[in-house]
């Protein structure tokens, strides 16, 4: 989980995508379990083929080996994740992230934001939330 302005952030969602955020695998598994319960209640099915885990870390930190599951199915780890046109790598490197942002699709929210630096992100986010 992450804290922004004193509030806890543990999920990002956009249309039919959801990203769960946690500080450790046990907390992430709890979020996955809660998501499964919510999906069952509303008769939704999670696409196992589109689900994966990225362990963001520094170069010297080994990838976690904790097996995360959606229901009874294990989720595979992956080295990168693309969200809203922005590629996020598991080994954090600000230079690589800047390079990836320069190649972002022009229709993505992040691409539009980098061309309007004078607008605060909260305002920008509201402009594109609909």
């Amino acid at each position: 989980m992450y804290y922004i302005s004193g509030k806890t952030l543990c999920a990002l969602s956009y249309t039919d995508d959801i990203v769960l955020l946690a500080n450790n695998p046990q907390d992430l598994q709890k979020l996955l379990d809660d998501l499964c319960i919510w999906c069952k209640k509303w008769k939704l099915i999670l696409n196992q083929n589109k689900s994966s885990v990225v362990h963001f870390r520094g170069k010297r930190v080994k990838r976690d080996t904790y097996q995360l599951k959606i229901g009874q199915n294990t989720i595979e780890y992956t080295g990168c994740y693309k969200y809203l046109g922005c590629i996020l790598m598991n080994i954090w490197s600000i230079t690589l992230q800047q390079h990836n942002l320069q190649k972002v699709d022009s229709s993505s929210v992040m691409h539009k934001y980098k061309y309007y630096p004078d607008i605060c992100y909260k305002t920008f986010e509201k402009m594109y939330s609909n």
Side-chain angles (χ1 to χ4, degrees), residues 1-125:
M1 288 181 267
Y2 298 88
Y3 302 95
I4 298 174
S5 300
K7 296 183 180 179
T8 303
L9 174 69
C10 60
L12 303 172
S13 61
Y14 185 77
T15 60
D16 65 345
D17 287 333
I18 187 166
V19 175
L20 301 177
L21 306 168
N23 287 328
N24 60 63
Q26 295 79 10
D27 288 348
L28 182 55
Q29 185 59 62
K30 173 73 171 115
L31 291 172
L32 287 166
D33 295 343
D34 291 346
L35 179 63
C36 286
I37 291 167
W38 186 87
C39 286
K40 187 174 181 178
K41 176 181 177 180
W42 295 103
K43 298 179 173 53
L44 297 172
I45 298 170
L46 294 171
N47 187 339
Q48 301 275 326
N49 296 327
K50 288 186 167 186
S51 301
S52 59
V53 177
V54 180
H55 176 197
F56 296 108
R57 61 196 187 279
K59 291 180 182 178
R60 293 183 176 96
V61 178
K62 290 185 180 182
R63 191 194 83 204
D64 203 290
T65 58
Y66 190 92
Q67 288 196 343
L68 293 153
K69 296 182 179 240
I70 295 178
Q72 300 300 315
N73 300 315
T74 301
I75 306 171
E76 299 295 322
Y77 281 85
T78 187
C80 65
Y81 181 74
K82 188 173 184 179
Y83 186 69
L84 299 180
C86 186
I87 299 169
L88 304 170
M89 305 298 292
N90 62 349
I91 304 296
W92 185 252
S93 162
I94 194 66
T95 305
L96 183 57
Q97 298 307 336
Q98 288 171 336
H99 176 72
N100 287 336
L101 264 178
Q102 290 171 353
K103 297 188 326 186
V104 169
D105 176 4
S106 63
S107 66
S108 80
V109 172
M110 293 305 291
H111 180 81
K112 289 180 178 79
Y113 180 63
K114 82 177 186 179
Y115 288 104
Y116 299 99
D118 296 335
I119 299 174
C120 80
Y121 189 78
K122 192 167 189 147
T123 302
F124 182 82
E125 184 180 40

